[in-house]
Amino acid sequence: MKIKKLVLQNYKSFKDRTVIEFNDGLNILVGDNEAGKSTILEAVHLCLSGMLDGKYLKHDFHQYLFNYEIVEEYLTKIKIDKATELPELLIEVYFQHNDKLTEFEGSLNSEHNPKVQGVRFEIKLDDAYADLYQNLLQLEEEQTSIPIEYFHIQWQSFARKTMISRIVPIKSVLIESATSKVKNGSDLYLSKIIKDGLNKQEQIGLSLSYRKLKERFNEDENIIDLNNKITGHIPISDKQLSITVDLSSNNSWESQLTTNFNNIPFDQIGKGEQCIVKTNLALANKKTEESNLILIEEPENHLSHTKLNSLVKQIKEKGEGKQIIITTHSSFVANKLGLENLILIDNKKTKFFRDLPSDTYEYFQKLAGYNTLRLILCKKAVLVEGPSDELVFQKLYMQQNMGRLPIEDGIDVISVAGLVFKRFLEIAKLVKKPVAVITDNDGKFQEKIINKYRDYDGISHIKISADPRDKLNTLEPQFIDANNGDFSKLCTVIDYDGEQNFDAIKKFMIGAKTDWALKLFNSNEFLEYPKYIKDVVEWCKS
């Protein structure tokens, strides 16, 4: 059992009706901060479990779940038009069609399609309070918030059957490494994972043992003596006051018992280790009558590179046959788990990476250190061949932009090997990301530039910048040529005191590639720059 897609409307940052579709197996959500990645995980979990931040939301919701803009629009319009409709919050999870889920099939969905299966979660005005709401509107007091006290939650299947978490067929587990939801020393998500992994007989057995433990507490002589003392010394009423433990719930063990890890309470171990334990437990659940959906938020938080590599390996090996949705800002995680599973969240819309050429995502899988997400998440990207090119470009950019670095304007300068340019350009082509390439011609402009990048001709958001003169084959002769009117100034800046002729300076600069570029970057002098680099600085302004 898998989910097919999520529909959001007026939920937190998602105002307009937004549809997010998912792969059958692994899904990697990427996007800039505030793009809505965490909200997507949260919404899926809420719609399938009724829980938010470790608590059932049914009796504890608030107006901040509603999109801020829709709330402001309502409060503005209601001042002049009392007929303005109250906003409604909607989350829908559509299931992949399954003959076993016909009881979840019906037309109660935003598509009005009677043939789809799923669950719908709404917060809206309760009809029972419609008259009270109308009375509120007659008051002269200005409304400053949604009258949330008149709202209620409707949690139903598409077949209009009221939901409780027990009957939802797909059990979601939300794993957050950045935070920990703890009640009475027990991690709520860990307890849920353990509970979902137990069969019915095991759950009954655990509940029975826990109830006996609580009963023994109440029957303990010390507790009886203490309660007699309290009753005798504190005359409150004719009723008996006593200390006891709650016996009202058969399933309270998951929020009351403490889970230990090597005899240390689980909430006291490191956040990274907590993430690993919870993820591995969720992956190890072999129950066939219930399909677990595993939601993991930014697994790279609190994990060393070695631990992260181990966790990614576990997800790949044990996640087969399960549906997993991961959010990340880590290029390592994205590349290693496979760019074909990547879903870019951009402006509340999704773009799938499954359309990348297979050799491209296989390349990044093998070399998972490449900063693919830097390219995806920036406003514009400039690809250069090495640190010298990066320093030279950034220096010129700063000179022409009041000392600002490119990154301060959302332009990421990424140093990659020349052979990898086309790999990055395939990603840029797919997501329509503005990218410029600053590259050497290697003495073969026709072959290395014209022929090599012919596939990107006519693509407006991709710019290839190189000098056409074969004799100026790399950055060093290019830079010397640009400053041929004042060799002495150039030599002073790069701290060269030898012969001031083209060949001698070139030999020095090639032998001290990064050093001369760093000295240029730290200098206050204004030198001339090669045209193909200046062209990209101008392109950045467009």
Side-chain angles (χ1 to χ4, degrees):
M1 296 178 187
K2 308 286 178 66
I3 69 171
K4 181 179 181 181
K5 63 185 175 185
L6 170 73
V7 172
L8 296 172
Q9 188 163 5
N10 295 338
Y11 183 66
K12 294 196 173 180
S13 61
F14 292 87
K15 177 185 176 184
D16 300 320
R17 184 178 185 273
T18 304
V19 180
I20 297 102
E21 296 188 356
F22 299 107
N23 303 313
D24 290 355
L26 187 60
N27 298 266
I28 308 167
L29 300 184
V30 299
D32 208 347
N33 292 329
E34 308 301 322
K37 303 183 301 298
S38 298
T39 301
I40 290 170
L41 294 191
E42 179 184 281
V44 170
H45 186 61
L46 175 58
C47 196
L48 293 177
S49 70
M51 297 183 72
L52 182 68
D53 294 332
K55 299 180 294 184
Y56 286 103
L57 196 66
K58 193 168 183 63
H59 304 295
D60 189 24
F61 57 90
H62 48 78
Q63 79 163 38
Y64 301 108
L65 297 176
F66 285 79
N67 176 265
Y68 174 79
E69 290 181 35
I70 205 71
V71 171
E72 290 300 301
E73 287 178 10
Y74 164 77
L75 294 175
T76 300
K77 291 178 180 178
I78 200 68
K79 294 175 184 177
I80 56 178
D81 182 5
K82 298 300 183 182
T84 300
E85 291 186 1
L86 279 162
E88 298 181 354
L89 182 156
L90 173 67
I91 305 172
E92 293 176 328
V93 171
Y94 290 68
F95 302 156
Q96 288 186 9
H97 189 83
N98 190 310
D99 291 339
K100 296 180 180 179
L101 300 179
T102 53
E103 62 181 306
F104 293 88
E105 186 174 305
S107 60
L108 185 62
N109 55 77
S110 55
E111 295 180 356
H112 308 293
N113 184 348
K115 298 298 183 182
V116 293
Q117 302 168 342
V119 178
R120 178 182 175 99
F121 189 97
E122 295 177 273
I123 302 179
K124 61 182 183 179
L125 178 66
D126 191 334
D127 290 339
Y129 297 128
D131 291 341
L132 291 175
Y133 172 63
Q134 290 303 317
N135 293 338
L136 175 68
L137 295 179
Q138 302 311 312
L139 301 177
E140 294 184 1
E141 294 181 8
E142 180 180 328
Q143 281 188 246
T144 58
S145 63
I146 296 178
I148 202 74
E149 61 273 16
Y150 299 149
F151 281 55
H152 73 142
I153 289 175
Q154 280 191 345
W155 189 21
Q156 299 173 284
S157 70
F158 288 175
R160 303 177 189 275
K161 182 178 180 180
T162 299
M163 287 289 97
I164 57 175
S165 59
R166 179 171 53 83
I167 65 175
V168 177
I170 299 178
K171 305 300 182 185
S172 62
V173 174
L174 178 60
I175 299 169
E176 302 170 281
S177 59
T179 58
S180 180
K181 303 294 186 296
V182 176
K183 181 178 179 182
N184 295 337
S186 177
D187 184 285
L188 297 179
Y189 294 148
L190 179 65
S191 297
K192 186 177 186 304
I193 293 168
I194 294 173
K195 180 181 177 181
D196 288 343
L198 301 177
N199 61 40
K200 191 66 178 176
Q201 192 62 37
E202 289 168 334
Q203 288 187 37
I204 292 172
L206 184 53
S207 296
L208 180 62
S209 297
Y210 181 58
R211 182 165 56 82
K212 289 180 178 178
L213 178 67
K214 292 190 292 185
E215 289 172 350
R216 285 199 295 271
F217 177 87
N218 293 337
E219 295 168 358
D220 186 272
E221 290 184 3
N222 292 321
I223 300 301
I224 294 173
D225 291 343
L226 180 60
N227 284 331
N228 290 336
K229 181 177 180 180
I230 292 173
T231 303
H233 287 77
I234 310 175
I236 296 176
S237 73
D238 56 353
K239 303 289 193 301
Q240 183 178 4
L241 178 70
S242 63
I243 293 174
T244 184
V245 290
D246 182 18
L247 296 173
S248 61
S249 172
N250 289 329
N251 294 315
S252 60
W253 63 266
E254 64 261 31
S255 61
Q256 300 293 326
L257 297 181
T258 298
T259 311
N260 281 3
F261 189 73
N262 275 0
N263 294 321
I264 299 172
F266 186 79
D267 64 298
Q268 297 298 316
I269 68 174
K271 293 290 192 297
E273 197 68 44
Q274 289 181 23
C275 177
I276 291 173
V277 171
K278 287 188 282 187
T279 302
N280 282 332
L281 271 171
L283 289 169
N285 187 356
K286 299 298 183 183
K287 293 177 71 175
T288 56
E289 66 270 23
E290 294 175 349
S291 251
N292 272 0
L293 171 65
I294 304 174
L295 310 167
I296 307 174
E297 183 173 7
E298 298 183 11
E300 64 269 18
N301 287 339
H302 307 291
L303 289 179
S304 67
H305 182 77
T306 303
K307 289 281 190 180
L308 180 59
N309 186 63
S310 176
L311 180 61
V312 168
K313 183 180 179 183
Q314 293 292 324
I315 292 171
K316 288 186 68 176
E317 291 179 353
K318 297 181 180 179
E320 188 174 349
K322 295 183 180 292
Q323 192 172 29
I324 303 172
I325 306 175
I326 296 175
T327 68
T328 187
H329 284 115
S330 167
S331 294
F332 176 84
V333 173
N335 295 344
K336 205 71 176 174
L337 291 178
L339 293 182
E340 74 276 17
N341 301 311
L342 210 70
I343 303 174
L344 174 63
I345 309 298
D346 182 27
N347 197 26
K348 302 301 180 284
K349 295 181 181 178
T350 57
K351 297 176 183 177
F352 286 84
F353 271 58
R354 62 171 74 106
D355 296 328
L356 275 175
S358 59
D359 61 334
T360 295
Y361 64 69
E362 286 172 4
Y363 183 88
F364 285 114
Q365 256 189 322
K366 294 172 184 175
L367 300 173
Y370 280 112
N371 295 312
T372 45
L373 293 195
R374 283 177 59 186
L375 177 81
I376 294 166
L377 301 179
C378 65
K379 179 182 174 183
K380 288 184 174 182
V382 176
L383 305 181
V384 298
E385 293 196 29
S388 300
D389 308 79
E390 183 177 352
L391 288 165
V392 170
F393 173 79
Q394 297 209 64
K395 180 65 175 180
L396 177 59
Y397 187 95
M398 291 171 66
Q399 287 182 357
Q400 296 191 8
N401 291 277
M402 302 178 66
R404 295 193 310 276
L405 285 164
I407 196 67
E408 295 177 66
D409 293 330
I411 300 165
D412 204 346
V413 185
I414 306 173
S415 178
V416 297
L419 293 174
V420 189
F421 282 147
K422 292 184 70 173
R423 306 292 187 185
F424 278 94
L425 291 178
E426 286 300 313
I427 296 175
K429 186 177 176 181
L430 179 67
V431 300
K432 295 181 171 56
K433 178 69 62 178
V435 173
V437 171
I438 295 176
T439 183
D440 299 331
N441 62 44
D442 292 333
K444 299 175 183 178
F445 183 77
Q446 181 65 40
E447 176 187 342
K448 298 292 186 179
I449 307 300
I450 299 298
N451 297 345
K452 181 178 179 180
Y453 297 104
R454 195 181 302 278
D455 291 343
Y456 307 101
D457 287 347
I459 299 178
S460 60
H461 61 276
I462 293 178
K463 179 179 179 61
I464 310 297
S465 191
D467 194 291
R469 295 170 292 178
D470 288 350
K471 66 177 182 178
L472 302 176
N473 60 328
T474 62
L475 173 63
E476 286 74 22
Q478 288 281 352
F479 204 86
I480 298 167
D481 179 74
N483 289 275
N484 61 13
D486 193 348
F487 279 167
S488 60
K489 186 176 182 181
L490 170 62
C491 292
T492 299
V493 169
I494 65 174
D495 197 21
Y496 169 65
D497 58 4
E499 294 182 58
Q500 294 188 6
N501 61 65
F502 190 99
D503 290 336
I505 299 172
K506 175 183 173 182
K507 182 178 179 180
F508 168 78
M509 291 175 72
I510 290 176
K513 270 186 174 293
T514 307
D515 287 343
W516 75 262
L518 184 59
K519 288 169 183 173
L520 169 72
F521 185 83
N522 292 325
S523 172
N524 293 322
E525 293 286 351
F526 283 78
L527 297 177
E528 294 297 323
Y529 288 77
K531 182 179 181 302
Y532 72 107
I533 295 179
K534 291 195 287 187
D535 287 347
V536 175
V537 173
E538 286 300 312
W539 172 85
C540 290
K541 299 176 183 177
S542 62

